[in-house]
Amino acid sequence: MKRHKNGLLLLTFFLLAVVFLSMVFQLEEFNQKKTVKIVFIPKVQDKTNDFWMSMISGAKSAGKEYQANLTILAPEEENDYQMQKQYIEEAVKMKPDVIALAPIQYSEMTDTVRKIKEAGIKLILIDSKIDEDLEETYIGTNNRNAGLQMGKKMRDYVNKDSKIAIVSHVKGSSTAMEREAGLREGLGDYEDRIEAVLYSNSDYRQAYDKTKELMRDHPDINLIAGLNLYSTVGVARAIKEMNLNREVNIVGFDNDIEGIQYLEEGIIDTLIVQKPFNMGYLGIQTAVESVRGNKMEKNIYCDTEVITLDNIYTDENQKLLFPF
Amino acid sequence: MIIYFSLLVLLTVTVFMFFSIRYTKKNLMENSEKNSKLLIEQVNFNIENYINYMENISQVIMSNRDMTSYLFEPNTKETGSDLKEAFQTILHARKDIYNIAVLGDNGRYFINNGTDALNLRSRLAKKEWYVDAKKEGSKILISSSHVQNLVSNDYKWVVTLSRGITNPETGKVEGLLVIDLNYDVINNLCESISLGNKGYVYIIDRKGEIVYHPQQQLILSGVKKELLKEVSNVRSSLTYTDEKGENKIYTPFHSDKTGWTIVGVVYTSELAGDEKAVRAMYIGTASILILFASILAVLLSAKITKPIKQLQAAMNEVQEGKFEQVYIDTGGENEISSLTRSFNRMTKRIDELLKNNRKEQAEKRKSELKALQSQINPHFLYNTLDSIIWLIETEDSSQAIKMTSVLARFFRQAIGNSKIYVTIWQELEYTRNYLLIQQMRYKDKVAFDIQVDEDVMECAIVKLVLQPLVENALYHGLKYKTEQGNIIITGCRQGDRVILTIKDDGIGMTKEALSTIFQKKTSDKRHNGVGMKNIEDRLKMHYGPDYGLIVESEEGVGTVVKVIIPYKRMEDTDEET
């Protein structure tokens, strides 16, 4: 009995001692932040695609800063939404805390995306949205604002008998719809000058061909807006080839070296440039924060820059236009 | 005891740990700063190496006669093979040199192997690096990192070394030598530096503009903040808390050659990671120490407290008078054990003294008893002798003979037996002789009957118990009765005890008399007889507290005295004199 009592006393004391020590030295081990497991599924991972490479490096940068366990699953081609659906299912099997997704399709992959939610995994959408509200947070360009910015800039090039064409990218995709809507709003009174809306389906070739066709059918068009990189570059190629660069102003979206060259050459007049590095960074940052239980805003927008010949090589813009 | 001891240990360990951890933390910080500094110096060393190399190249090119003649002599259409060869050799040897170009203000230029064309849309006059280079005259200038669009169709991140070329004819600076270092060199150099998992290196130029930063885009677009100009004048490490509340240690290093400041950034939380490991180790050690200390405390207290408690228990026993079982042995050779030894000696001594004392007392009582036993009521003798004389005078010689012989037997029994114990039979005989004498004296005044079971006859009884009781019955009970009195002595065994009953039908006793019967030391002085108290005491002394006398009496009816003794055969009795 006595011995037993002593033992009990000793145990109590020992526990007390541990608690006391923990308190004195604030053992952070107990509430150490756990590593967040993230799967990031961009639209494409292609060394020649600066936009997505830049976004991936932004994501990696945040991954390093937040010490997250970051896996990247990306299709090799930007339109391959079947592949992306497969990657989503694969990602769900990996049981991460959160999936950051840049969906290729607005409505065709909603069923697959829903599985993320059903598996109890948080969803962060980057760059594009889907037709159902499944995400914790959307991080991307405020496409409407970007369109607005574009439309307002386009007014600089409008004269009294201007005719405008829009070369959009994928019909039904959220970015295409929002950019076009913003553009129309930005144009204001000049909205009725829009003669045609074409879709390049994110393909240089289609953009090029359709532009040529457009110029044959509507030779009076003198202002073309490309709503993404493929459209913009395709349009510029066609216009350059048709030697119409003096007659036609091109306002484009996104950039690559070719686009910059056209800008330097004066074929393209203005580029609306997104900030994919920031998007990737904020996407992963938000993913980490949401897993850690911080309430995030529903939409986090990255602004866009208006690039003209005069500001290509400013400190900020050259990093944006030539990320590597 | 354990608690105090353990608290002491805990306090010691805590204080020790507190200072240890503080010291370790300080050490960790200092080490990390040293480490950062070392790594950054290494980065700087490498960068300066590149710059030195570029300077050497520039030196080689500046001393190339072909170059100036090509740039400034209007007659020269083609470059000499010298310049071309020099450029090609350099570009071939060093993949990290992207471009080498000489640009004349007159529009002449030679780039790389001579086939690369100047980008006509490069708008050099608007480029910061070009403007700065032009301002410097013939001096060497290292630009910040920028995208070089000098060569058509080529947009590469570079760091440019520029140097004005003087026209030997005019003596004025009329051209520019451009050497572009692949920015990847610096990028890789900085990325390869490991400052913990999260730490990083960045470089700013003398204007405070970013040459390299892993998150340059975030900073330039205002998403994140970074110390730029703030560190360019700082010589030592500084601690900075960013907008997310993370503590970082900035260690800057200034290069005079490039004018750049290379900054190493370490997250204190990661140091704390190390610190945590150290802390965990310390706490683990402390826990084990405390565990051991606690065990030691228990053992020690067992060694100290246990004997004290034993001693305390023994003291209590002693207080209650139990000396025999108090011997304690605590073992060991310390203060406590010497104390217990003293205690043992003391109790033993006390015990001895007490025993002696008790023995002496007992002896005294025994001798008193002996004296008492040998006392025969002298009146009884006188009276008996008187009666014998009277019988002889009345010539009733047979009665006289009988009485004398009974008296003789009585005295033989009274005096001749020196033993303490006798058999009940012997005691009864003695009593019978006494009663016979009294009967002869008082004729028919007394009648008696002895009915004792054969079973108990051979039992031992302390001598002189029954006779005094009978004497008491005669003198206090029957004597005051006018008619004949009866005394009945019975005896039987009840279990392991023997009960002898002396019953008389005398006047009995009042309740008050009965209640004080054992208080009188001796009975009536006149009879010089033996008091109840004396008999009771003797019985208790010999047989223990469970035995003795029970007296019942009713006034006018009589008295019953029961003698209760253990059933013990005479042979089994230890005779002690």
Side-chain angles (χ1 to χ4, degrees):
Chain A
M1 182 62 202
K2 200 96 189 161
R3 193 159 286 275
H4 190 66
K5 201 175 141 199
N6 269 352
L8 210 70
L9 207 69
L10 187 71
L11 192 74
T12 316
F13 170 74
F14 187 67
L15 286 176
L16 272 175
V18 171
V19 170
F20 176 68
L21 282 175
S22 311
M23 266 161 53
V24 170
F25 299 101
Q26 293 148 24
L27 267 184
E28 281 151 41
E29 278 89 326
F30 293 127
N31 52 12
Q32 197 175 30
K33 285 173 183 166
K34 83 185 231 318
T35 308
V36 178
K37 192 177 176 188
I38 305 169
V39 178
F40 175 39
I41 308 171
K43 286 187 184 174
V44 66
Q45 184 165 25
D46 173 5
K47 290 258 186 292
T48 63
N49 190 327
D50 280 348
F51 181 87
W52 288 99
M53 289 311 285
S54 192
M55 189 189 286
I56 289 166
S57 75
K60 284 179 175 168
S61 181
K64 185 191 175 196
E65 189 177 328
Y66 288 94
Q67 292 291 293
N69 176 359
L70 179 67
T71 310
I72 293 165
L73 299 175
E76 282 171 12
E77 281 175 45
E78 190 168 346
N79 298 345
D80 196 352
Y81 76 92
Q82 293 295 350
M83 193 63 184
Q84 201 182 34
K85 276 161 83 172
Q86 272 183 38
Y87 279 134
I88 292 168
E89 290 184 10
E90 201 175 304
V92 170
K93 282 189 196 123
M94 287 163 79
K95 295 193 174 74
D97 298 303
V98 55
I99 290 175
L101 172 71
I104 293 172
Q105 286 291 344
Y106 183 63
S107 48
E108 262 95 304
M109 48 203 302
T110 310
D111 289 343
T112 316
V113 175
R114 206 178 288 120
K115 287 180 188 167
I116 297 175
K117 216 49 188 172
E118 282 161 5
I121 299 165
K122 293 193 171 179
L123 176 66
I124 304 289
L125 288 184
I126 300 179
D127 180 63
S128 306
K129 287 188 176 179
I130 51 166
D131 60 1
E132 206 174 302
D133 178 24
L134 294 170
E135 76 273 14
E136 300 281 320
T137 299
Y138 164 76
I139 294 118
T141 299
N142 187 338
N143 282 303
R144 201 182 163 79
N145 271 357
L148 197 71
Q149 214 171 12
M150 196 180 203
K152 281 180 178 164
K153 186 71 191 170
M154 280 165 77
R155 293 168 69 104
D156 293 352
Y157 306 114
V158 175
N159 52 41
K160 62 179 171 23
D161 38 38
S162 281
K163 292 275 186 284
I164 301 170
I166 296 171
V167 182
S168 186
H169 41 112
V170 178
K171 192 169 188 175
S173 76
S174 65
T175 52
M177 293 190 294
E178 286 167 20
R179 283 175 196 174
E180 193 183 319
L183 187 148
R184 285 173 184 276
E185 193 188 331
L187 276 174
D189 318 334
Y190 296 122
E191 199 194 327
D192 56 359
R193 303 293 183 88
I194 297 170
E195 289 284 295
V197 178
L198 312 175
Y199 294 93
S200 72
N201 291 315
S202 286
D203 187 70
Y204 293 121
R205 188 78 216 169
Q206 283 189 40
Y208 169 82
D209 289 342
K210 285 180 180 174
T211 307
K212 279 191 137 181
E213 203 179 314
L214 174 81
M215 292 315 292
R216 270 197 300 273
D217 297 349
H218 304 268
D220 53 343
I221 282 179
N222 60 359
L223 179 55
I224 305 177
L227 292 193
N228 78 350
L229 181 66
Y230 300 96
S231 302
T232 306
V233 170
V235 168
R237 280 178 190 169
I239 295 301
K240 186 183 180 184
E241 202 183 279
M242 295 169 86
N243 247 325
L244 291 169
N245 58 320
R246 293 202 183 281
E247 290 80 17
V248 180
N249 291 107
I250 302 172
V251 177
F253 218 99
D254 292 346
N255 63 288
D256 65 354
I257 294 293
E258 200 181 341
I260 303 292
Q261 279 180 325
Y262 291 140
L263 193 64
E264 275 190 344
E265 281 177 48
I267 294 167
I268 294 174
D269 296 279
T270 298
L271 283 175
I272 304 296
V273 173
Q274 302 185 69
K275 297 181 175 175
F277 186 93
N278 293 13
M279 235 182 259
Y281 176 87
L282 290 171
I284 299 307
Q285 184 188 46
T286 307
V288 171
E289 296 291 347
S290 73
V291 170
R292 286 184 182 163
N294 297 336
K295 192 72 200 148
M296 302 307 291
E297 284 174 53
K298 187 71 193 171
N299 293 300
I300 296 174
Y301 292 122
C302 298
D303 54 357
T304 42
E305 290 292 325
V306 178
I307 307 290
T308 59
L309 187 58
D310 294 323
N311 65 4
I312 298 175
Y313 292 99
T314 62
D315 263 350
E316 184 190 348
N317 292 346
Q318 65 178 350
K319 195 72 200 174
L320 209 59
L321 297 170
F322 308 95
F324 303 104
Chain B
M1 175 77 189
I2 304 171
I3 295 285
Y4 292 130
F5 186 78
S6 305
L7 276 178
L8 185 71
V9 172
L10 183 61
L11 190 73
T12 318
V13 170
T14 309
V15 169
F16 171 73
M17 270 180 61
F18 181 73
F19 284 107
S20 300
I21 287 178
R22 268 186 72 120
Y23 177 74
T24 312
K25 199 171 170 180
K26 209 175 133 225
N27 246 6
L28 272 169
M29 296 279 257
E30 278 171 5
N31 277 347
S32 121
E33 270 169 37
K34 260 185 219 160
N35 183 39
S36 297
K37 202 152 192 125
L38 219 66
L39 286 170
I40 287 153
E41 276 172 23
Q42 189 63 42
V43 171
N44 183 60
F45 178 78
N46 286 327
I47 290 172
E48 285 190 359
N49 253 353
Y50 284 113
I51 304 299
N52 279 333
Y53 184 72
M54 283 159 78
E55 279 182 14
N56 290 341
I57 293 170
S58 78
Q59 206 55 50
V60 168
I61 293 164
M62 289 310 265
S63 58
N64 191 311
R65 289 190 157 275
D66 252 15
M67 193 262 291
T68 43
S69 69
Y70 172 72
L71 269 191
F72 302 121
E73 282 171 32
N75 307 332
T76 322
K77 292 271 182 257
E78 290 280 313
T79 57
S81 56
D82 248 19
L83 185 62
K84 191 171 175 177
E85 217 169 89
F87 276 26
Q88 273 176 339
T89 312
I90 294 158
L91 289 169
H92 198 73
R94 295 298 291 243
K95 295 290 174 214
D96 39 33
I97 301 297
Y98 247 138
N99 299 310
I100 307 174
V102 283
L103 310 168
D105 290 353
N106 54 12
R108 285 198 173 202
Y109 65 88
F110 190 85
I111 302 172
N112 297 339
N113 52 15
T115 53
D116 282 344
L118 186 72
N119 181 358
L120 297 173
R121 296 183 177 85
S122 60
R123 308 213 294 179
L124 287 177
K126 292 205 168 185
K127 303 296 278 297
E128 194 181 334
W129 71 270
Y130 187 81
V131 173
D132 288 346
K134 276 297 185 190
K135 269 189 230 155
E136 282 294 307
S138 62
K139 277 190 271 176
I140 289 174
L141 187 76
I142 310 293
S143 79
S144 182
S145 58
H146 66 102
V147 172
Q148 183 62 285
N149 67 339
L150 193 69
V151 181
S152 56
N153 292 322
D154 196 23
Y155 301 86
K156 287 288 190 328
W157 278 91
V158 296
V159 169
T160 302
L161 176 143
S162 58
R163 191 171 181 179
I165 303 167
T166 312
N167 185 346
E169 300 287 314
T170 60
K172 285 180 185 165
V173 176
E174 291 179 11
L176 190 69
L177 168 65
V178 177
I179 302 170
D180 287 334
L181 176 70
N182 187 350
Y183 176 67
D184 280 352
V185 165
I186 289 163
N187 201 53
N188 294 343
L189 209 57
C190 293
E191 271 180 5
S192 68
I193 296 299
S194 159
L195 292 169
N197 289 322
K198 295 162 75 178
Y200 55 91
V201 173
Y202 69 94
I203 303 172
I204 52 173
D205 67 9
R206 58 164 68 77
K207 291 181 193 162
E209 283 165 10
I210 295 171
V211 176
Y212 168 83
H213 194 293
Q215 296 181 334
Q216 193 170 351
Q217 304 186 34
L218 293 172
I219 294 153
L220 290 175
S221 57
V223 175
K224 289 192 88 173
K225 283 195 177 62
E226 186 60 280
L227 300 180
L228 300 173
K229 284 211 168 66
E230 294 91 329
V231 287
S232 54
N233 296 320
V234 181
R235 293 279 146 194
S236 61
S237 291
L238 61 100
T239 309
Y240 172 71
T241 310
D242 70 9
E243 60 264 40
K244 282 186 296 174
E246 285 218 68
N247 277 316
K248 298 191 255 184
I249 301 168
Y250 285 73
T251 311
F253 185 90
H254 305 278
S255 165
D256 290 331
K257 188 164 208 79
T258 54
W260 292 353
T261 303
I262 302 161
V263 189
V265 183
V266 177
Y267 283 77
T268 37
S269 64
E270 290 202 302
L271 288 184
D274 272 6
E275 194 193 316
K276 269 178 204 163
V278 171
R279 210 181 255 177
M281 195 189 74
Y282 271 121
I283 288 172
T285 315
S287 304
I288 292 168
L289 274 178
I290 290 170
L291 185 69
F292 274 123
S294 310
I295 292 170
L296 203 69
V298 172
L299 290 179
L300 264 180
S301 82
K303 264 216 168 326
I304 296 168
T305 325
K306 208 177 124 204
I308 291 179
K309 284 199 171 145
Q310 280 180 334
L311 206 57
Q312 194 186 13
M315 292 270 199
N316 281 337
E317 300 254 290
V318 169
Q319 253 175 9
E320 284 162 22
K322 296 172 194 158
F323 288 91
E324 297 81 3
Q325 55 271 69
V326 295
Y327 181 78
I328 44 172
D329 182 14
T330 52
E333 278 301 324
N334 52 30
E335 294 83 349
I336 304 287
S337 63
S338 89
L339 194 65
T340 46
R341 276 196 299 276
S342 301
F343 176 79
N344 283 339
R345 274 198 297 276
M346 184 185 78
T347 48
K348 202 177 161 198
R349 185 82 190 109
I350 292 172
D351 191 33
E352 276 170 12
L353 288 172
L354 271 175
K355 273 184 181 150
N356 281 346
N357 190 287
R358 219 176 283 147
K359 211 169 169 182
E360 276 165 21
Q361 286 286 330
E363 233 124 75
K364 206 172 152 193
R365 287 177 81 170
K366 272 181 194 160
S367 48
E368 263 175 15
L369 182 67
K370 272 192 179 164
L372 217 129
Q373 281 171 347
S374 54
Q375 267 176 9
I376 309 263
N377 193 337
H379 291 285
F380 170 68
L381 188 57
Y382 308 150
N383 294 342
T384 313
L385 287 174
D386 273 345
S387 303
I388 292 170
I389 290 164
W390 189 78
L391 283 171
I392 292 167
E393 275 176 357
T394 54
E395 294 183 340
D396 190 351
S397 58
S398 64
Q399 274 297 319
I401 290 165
K402 194 182 169 190
M403 201 166 189
T404 311
S405 72
V406 171
L407 188 64
R409 266 206 315 270
F410 179 75
F411 271 95
R412 194 176 297 122
Q413 277 171 331
I415 300 159
N417 197 345
S418 67
K419 285 177 181 169
I420 292 171
Y421 295 102
V422 293
T423 60
I424 286 176
W425 184 81
Q426 283 173 317
E427 181 69 7
L428 283 171
E429 273 307 298
Y430 181 65
T431 310
R432 186 196 305 274
N433 287 332
Y434 172 77
L435 277 168
L436 281 171
I437 293 166
Q438 293 293 33
Q439 209 174 22
M440 275 186 266
R441 276 182 58 204
Y442 296 106
K443 298 292 179 204
D444 297 325
K445 194 107 192 291
V446 184
F448 70 92
D449 188 14
I450 297 175
Q451 302 162 354
V452 175
D453 294 350
E454 272 308 310
D455 190 22
V456 299
M457 280 302 190
E458 286 306 313
C459 280
I461 187 167
V462 179
K463 207 162 87 175
L464 262 131
V465 170
L466 294 181
Q467 186 270 325
L469 290 174
V470 169
E471 192 174 333
N472 279 343
L474 281 176
Y475 286 99
H476 298 293
L478 304 181
K479 183 177 161 189
Y480 305 104
K481 219 178 142 184
T482 43
E483 64 270 43
Q484 187 189 43
N486 292 297
I487 290 177
I488 300 162
I489 300 174
T490 56
C492 65
R493 179 182 172 184
Q494 267 184 15
D496 54 356
R497 8 169 94 186
V498 174
I499 297 171
L500 298 164
T501 314
I502 297 128
K503 187 179 171 192
D504 69 62
D505 51 359
I507 56 159
M509 275 179 273
T510 59
K511 281 202 174 126
E512 295 80 54
L514 188 64
S515 62
T516 56
I517 193 152
F518 290 126
Q519 285 170 10
K520 289 190 215 156
K521 191 88 185 163
T522 52
S523 68
D524 214 315
K525 281 272 184 274
R526 272 197 309 149
H527 314 284
N528 202 11
V530 182
M532 287 283 200
K533 162 103 178 117
N534 185 294
I535 298 163
E536 167 82 355
D537 284 352
R538 272 163 52 218
L539 287 171
K540 287 233 168 7
M541 194 178 86
H542 285 282
Y543 299 118
D546 294 341
Y547 303 95
L549 299 178
I550 295 172
V551 184
E552 291 162 7
S553 183
E554 204 176 322
E555 216 175 342
V557 177
T559 304
V560 179
V561 180
K562 284 182 177 165
V563 179
I564 300 161
I565 56 166
Y567 180 85
K568 216 171 189 182
R569 313 277 303 176
M570 190 62 194
E571 307 92 85
D572 305 329
T573 314
D574 298 331
E575 185 62 32
E576 42 173 325
T577 356

